[in-house]
């Protein structure tokens, strides 16, 4: 038998079932008419988008999602569709895939492996299915799995033992740096061990903190990738099966790691800003590396005409910071304003003079400067309907080296999950495409410029020490003893860990940002604020 | 056989295993020496505190928790202890109870029913146990359950069928308004149906957004409560069993609903502020009802000497607001300051004059005022090490009637889960104890005073309409159609729902607050920010 299977690597909008139905119908017709496909496979929970979170607890939402399957069945003929949806059965909900052919639901599969770790909360919503599901189509026996299922070798094998000729898998697998390699490795190995070709379809697009990177693929029974769709882009691909053997097709190359991270961030900014209906974005440009990178990301995501920068020098801002910030804005062609914060800082100083009389200057006075900038930026954001992008990086978020309601203010924090050392790499990468960030910004020692001659290293271990310590403590759950044993200075380890422990309260009020590491802050790492745990005794 | 069982309704500190071990050992010795108890029952996950969240993913933390059981066994003799802890077995973790007697672990039970809804994420950490656990002690056969287990009638029955004479249950059951009645009703009904006495021990204290209210109790096999410990207070109670029949003891009365809510809020403020090591609290006092209530809560929680109020009038603040705020501060005996915000508002107005030239006044200018107050309050908080208490209520949080980084700024939001109508009831209740809030504050129409002659009802449905609509939409997941069918005006329903849908982004950056309703914002209600779902079409 010959069979053409389309992979619908498409954007779905969480919560907007009507829009998703339209996308499904249009994609199916396109695959049938333009690609000659016999069957089209969609990502996990196609109808609702993924993750729909507690919308899944609303009866009206689930009603709409279940009805949608029938609507789609009525609207498309002459191509079979495999669609993900939250299936209600009595008072239970399943994460299911329906197979629709010629107006009828021919079979239905219920996801067996429900992830409930990291960013996933599927047990909150779903009951696990308990059996494989095979159906015959054009003479082939086809098995179904949904996302986490295909990571479990025993589930792949159950399909093969049940007599499957090939396996389809519907996914909503979020990106982190390097994950695509892990994903292909696992699926190829399971395909080879079970001698079963696998069609892997992933969603694409940004959804709050998550990026779905696409990179759908088909692997043959020898564990070889014979088709790969683009990274970070919608694409309806098609693969021909001859006697259940997938034929060789074009394989999109994978980005290198740093460029892949960069593209993920661009997609994340673009989708957050546009799906939430903002007119554009603004940001504070300090002359430092973080805001330089965020400016580049914003321009690449939205276009220079949608982005506006604000320079807000204080008495501690060096001339070169203003010069460099202007150079960046000009290089990227964005509108910018210069608003010195001195008048507001002075006003607050006078208003607080009586109460603060006799006290020493401390972080309070630094925070006032950062918060004056926050007020200016939020006022411009409010007035113009442009989102304020926050420019803090993961190293700062980890140790709380940022001012709540000051530089932490904003609707979205593009580089919140990017450690400082990677900020530099991404800046160098972006400059390799076109020189937009002055060299000096990359080479000068980083400074918050909130006090005379201040540099980050006054308060923090150097970043080439700090970042690996943070990765070990925050992402890998290593102990202080283990990190010190790996060769890091006890003093740096103690300083870093005690700051991480103490700053959960700040992180809790930070804007959402884009997950690019295996463990980001947010849903991915759920720590109590009130806690007697100390990573350092 | 005669048997004295102690109920250790005690505070445990999440994450501080050493402190919790000390509390366990001291409580056991006290129960043995002062109360003559033969056995003492502790709350769920005693050793780590509850909920320890992702600390449970750290190997070092789990090591400490497992070692703690042996430390305790070594330190206490001549009384049996039933202690909750996260039990590691290979790569699995169980939510377990160990029974320790004379230095040995005599048995171990693994929780079977793992809640993974509402604020609970137990499947994220634990594997479910699959069998009952009975042990003999002083001639009685005793069964064990942990929290959610006892809500499942089949698990209670399994213990009875296995031959239990009585059942112990270790709990960490968070408070919401009226929950105690539900809890006793369920447990009494299960006791009666299984003809099995139940000893129910609950944790007490505030932990981030959750309040554990205590109210441990003992029910006999007829389903009658024969002992009840105090609400919201630590108490080591003891109940005598004669031939496995629990004898009548003193039953603490339950608070009425409004006073119970009030006490929950006081405990929540007290524990958050003290466990996080703050020197005291400050808040902005506007002359309105919300800040009046938060001031009273803060004083009742911390004492007047630990609380400081700041009045920050603007050109739109009416004289009576300042007068009433001063009266409140004086009635409660707290230090207060008056800092007019005009100089900062003027400074920002001038700094933004060029950029805003030709635009109309809108919410931007209102937000600037609120944010100037935020800067002042945070500066005072930073300088003195006092936490800033946020004064917004649940109605405002629901519809986004608040300014991010303005009146939403702060470390803790005591009344974040208190709807406006309940704010009034709580104020009236507090005035019934001693008149501290001027009558006028309760009777005048609420206003944000950010524009001339502004009142809340210019932008929002009246609160007697808004609050029940919000309860139905946010807590009960009702649809707009259902709410309108219940008799609410379509216009009010539409306005309320569209505001709830649009303001998830604000709620995501709000400070933590105290859960007192069946569904609070925070871990309890997980909505996507980017969402095409609209409760109103």
């Amino acid at each position: 038998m010959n069979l053409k299977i389309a992979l619908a690597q498409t954007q779905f909008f969480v919560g907007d079932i009507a829009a998703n139905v339209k996308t499904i119908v249009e994609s199916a017709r396109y695959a049938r008419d333009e690609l000659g496909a016999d069957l089209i496979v969609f990502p996990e929970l196609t109808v609702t988008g993924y993750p729909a979170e507690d919308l899944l607890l609303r009866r009206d939402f689930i009603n709409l999602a279940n009805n949608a399957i029938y609507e789609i069945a009525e609207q498309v003929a002459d191509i079979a569709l495999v669609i993900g949806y939250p299936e209600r059965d009595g008072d239970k909900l399943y994460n299911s895939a329906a197979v629709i052919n010629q107006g009828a639901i021919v079979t239905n599969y219920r996801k067996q492996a429900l992830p409930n770790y990291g960013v996933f909360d599927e047990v909150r919503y779903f009951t696990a299915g308990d059996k494989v599901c095979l159906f015959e189509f054009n003479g082939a026996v086809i098995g179904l799995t949904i996302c986490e299922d295909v990571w479990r070798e025993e589930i792949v094998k159950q399909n093969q033992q049940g007599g499957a000729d090939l396996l389809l898998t519907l996914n909503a697998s979020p990106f982190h740096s390097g994950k695509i390699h892990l994903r292909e490795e696992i699926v190829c190995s399971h395909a080879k061990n079970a001698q079963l070709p696998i069609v892997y379809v992933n969603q694409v697009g940004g959804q709050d903190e998550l990026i779905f990177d696409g990179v759908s693929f088909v692997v043959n029974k020898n564990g070889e990738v014979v088709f790969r769709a683009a990274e970070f882009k919608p694409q309806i691909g098609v693969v021909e099966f001859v006697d259940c053997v997938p034929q060789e097709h074009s394989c999109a190359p994978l980005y290198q790691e740093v460029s892949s991270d960069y593209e993920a961030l661009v997609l994340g900014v673009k989708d957050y800003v546009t799906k939430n209906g903002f007119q554009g974005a603004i940001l504070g440009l300090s002359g430092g590396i973080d805001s330089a990178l965020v400016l580049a990301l914003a321009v690449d995501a939205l276009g220079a005409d949608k982005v506006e920068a604000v320079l807000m020098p204080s008495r501690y801002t060096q001339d070169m910071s203003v010069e460099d910030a202007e150079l960046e804005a000009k290089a990227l062609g964005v509108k910018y304003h210069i608003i010195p914060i001195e008048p507001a800082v002075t006003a607050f100083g006078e208003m607080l003079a009586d109460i603060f009389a006799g006290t020493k200057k401390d972080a309070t006075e630094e925070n006032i400067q950062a918060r004056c900038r926050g007020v200016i930026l939020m006022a411009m954001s409010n007035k113009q309907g442009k989102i304020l992008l926050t420019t803090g990086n993961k190293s700062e978020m980890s140790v709380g080296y940022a001012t709540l309601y000051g530089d932490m203010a904003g609707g979205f924090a593009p580089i919140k999950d990017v450690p400082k050392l990677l900020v530099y790499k991404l800046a160098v990468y972006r400059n390799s495409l076109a020189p937009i960030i002055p060299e000096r910004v990359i080479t000068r020692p980083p400074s918050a410029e909130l006090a005379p001659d201040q540099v980050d290293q006054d308060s923090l271990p150097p970043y080439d020490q700090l970042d690996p310590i943070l990765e070990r403590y925050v992402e890998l759950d290593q102990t202080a003893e283990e990190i010190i044993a790996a060769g890091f200075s006890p003093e740096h380890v103690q300083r870093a860990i005690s700051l991480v422990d103490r700053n959960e309260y700040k992180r809790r009020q930070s804007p959402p940002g884009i997950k690019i590491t295996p463990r980001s802050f947010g849903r991915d790492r759920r720590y109590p604020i009130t806690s007697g745990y100390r990573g350092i005794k």
Side-chain angles (χ1 to χ4, degrees), chain A residues 419-482:
Chain A
K420 187 81 174 186
L421 296 180
L422 183 55
V423 170
Y424 284 104
K425 283 191 198 164
L426 289 165
V428 169
Y429 164 74
R430 185 59 182 79
N431 267 0
S432 77
L433 306 183
I436 50 164
I437 303 172
E439 195 55 28
R440 187 164 65 173
V441 175
I442 297 174
T443 52
R444 66 186 276 215
S447 165
E449 295 195 326
L450 294 169
D453 303 320
Q454 186 181 41
V455 292
D456 292 9
Q457 270 186 236
D458 298 341
S459 320
L460 301 177
Y463 287 110
D464 61 354
Q465 293 284 303
L466 181 62
D467 277 4
I469 293 172
L470 292 173
E471 184 187 10
R472 286 164 183 268
Y473 186 66
V474 172
E475 294 180 43
L476 303 175
D477 288 335
Q478 290 186 4
T479 63
E481 294 72 27
E482 289 168 328

Side-chain angles (χ1 to χ4, degrees), chain A residues 162 187 226 290 345-346 395 416 443 458:
Chain A
V187 175
V226 297
D290 296 318
V345 174
T346 304
S395 311
K416 181 183 176 186
T443 52
D458 298 341

Side-chain angles (χ1 to χ4, degrees), chain A residues 32 57 104 110 120 122 236 281 359 380:
Chain A
R32 177 193 64 195
L57 303 179
R110 293 167 171 176
F120 302 109
E122 291 199 15
I236 301 183
T359 65
M380 293 181 63

Side-chain angles (χ1 to χ4, degrees), chain A residues 347-407:
Chain A
F348 284 117
E350 289 168 2
M351 290 158 75
L352 289 161
D354 284 353
I355 292 176
F356 285 180
T359 65
K360 280 198 300 189
K361 287 206 175 186
D362 56 19
T364 305
E365 284 74 15
E366 301 186 14
N367 287 335
I368 288 174
Q369 299 165 54
R371 291 192 180 114
C372 286
R373 296 191 174 107
V375 173
I376 293 284
L377 290 167
M378 284 303 297
M380 293 181 63
S381 167
N382 289 164
K383 189 62 94 184
Q384 305 182 40
K386 289 181 178 168
I387 191 172
L388 171 58
L389 297 177
T390 311
T391 58
N393 61 57
K394 187 176 196 175
S395 311
E396 291 174 1
M397 272 300 92
S398 302
V399 297
Y401 196 69
T403 300
L404 258 178
Y405 325 132
D407 52 313

Side-chain angles (χ1 to χ4, degrees), chain A residues 37 43 131 196 203 234 255 296 319 351 419 436 475 483 512 515 526:
Chain A
K131 44 180 175 292
L196 192 62
Q203 153 172 297
Y255 290 87
D319 291 345
M351 290 158 75
I436 50 164
E475 294 180 43
I483 302 171
K515 172 182 166 72
R526 306 177 189 180

Side-chain angles (χ1 to χ4, degrees), chain A residues 124-415:
Chain A
R124 184 172 172 89
Y125 311 108
F126 299 114
T127 301
D130 57 5
K131 44 180 175 292
V132 297
C133 166
L134 300 165
F135 66 102
E136 221 183 301
F137 183 75
N138 285 14
V141 178
I142 300 179
L144 292 172
T145 52
I146 301 176
C147 213
E148 190 82 1
D149 287 334
V150 84
W151 294 71
R152 307 274 177 92
E153 186 154 22
E154 68 276 15
I155 296 180
V156 176
K157 288 222 165 130
Q158 283 163 12
N159 276 278
Q160 180 253 336
Q161 286 156 0
D165 297 315
L166 62 101
L167 187 63
L168 310 179
T169 177
L170 296 75
N171 305 275
S173 178
F175 170 84
H176 64 70
S177 197
K179 177 136 172 226
I180 177 59
H181 300 290
L182 179 66
R183 209 188 273 149
E184 284 197 3
E185 219 168 84
I186 296 278
V187 175
C188 289
S189 138
H190 292 176
K192 191 176 173 188
N193 292 345
Q195 289 285 296
L196 192 62
I198 299 180
V199 175
Y200 184 103
V201 180
N202 194 17
Q203 153 172 297
V204 71
Q207 170 60 27
D208 286 351
E209 305 212 312
L210 302 181
I211 301 299
F212 297 92
D213 52 346
V215 216
S216 303
F217 60 96
V218 175
V219 51
N220 66 21
K221 68 175 185 173
N222 302 322
E224 297 154 347
V225 174
V226 297
F227 167 78
R228 185 187 296 123
E231 217 174 359
F232 304 117
K233 286 189 185 67
Q235 178 184 347
I236 301 183
V238 71
V239 169
E240 189 165 14
F241 285 74
V242 177
D243 293 330
C244 297
V245 176
Q247 306 299 297
E248 289 276 347
H249 290 71
S250 64
C251 286
L254 295 176
Y255 290 87
Q256 297 301 306
E257 204 151 294
V258 172
S259 60
S260 185
D261 290 344
Y262 192 87
E263 293 303 321
L265 296 171
V266 169
L267 179 59
V269 172
K270 183 179 170 195
D271 280 1
Y272 193 88
V273 173
T274 56
K275 287 183 180 176
N276 283 296
F278 288 99
Q279 301 302 309
I282 66 161
L283 77 164
L285 207 55
S286 71
I289 187 81
D290 296 318
S291 58
L293 177 61
V294 174
L295 179 68
L297 290 167
V299 168
D300 290 345
L302 308 171
D305 59 320
K306 299 279 191 209
V307 180
E308 205 168 323
V310 191
L311 286 61
M312 293 168 289
S314 77
R315 71 193 82 167
Y316 304 119
T317 305
Q318 296 196 37
D319 291 345
M320 72 168 156
S321 299
V322 178
E323 287 161 19
D324 289 344
E326 287 197 76
L327 287 172
E328 293 157 14
K330 286 175 183 161
L332 285 162
V334 304
K335 189 169 164 185
Y336 69 94
H337 314 270
I338 301 181
I339 307 180
I341 59 169
E342 218 53 45
V345 174
T346 304
F348 284 117
E350 289 168 2
M351 290 158 75
L352 289 161
D354 284 353
I355 292 176
F356 285 180
T359 65
K360 280 198 300 189
K361 287 206 175 186
D362 56 19
T364 305
E365 284 74 15
E366 301 186 14
N367 287 335
I368 288 174
Q369 299 165 54
R371 291 192 180 114
C372 286
R373 296 191 174 107
V375 173
I376 293 284
L377 290 167
M378 284 303 297
M380 293 181 63
S381 167
N382 289 164
K383 189 62 94 184
Q384 305 182 40
K386 289 181 178 168
I387 191 172
L388 171 58
L389 297 177
T390 311
T391 58
N393 61 57
K394 187 176 196 175
S395 311
E396 291 174 1
M397 272 300 92
S398 302
V399 297
Y401 196 69
T403 300
L404 258 178
Y405 325 132
D407 52 313
M408 284 178 67
F412 199 59
I415 61 170

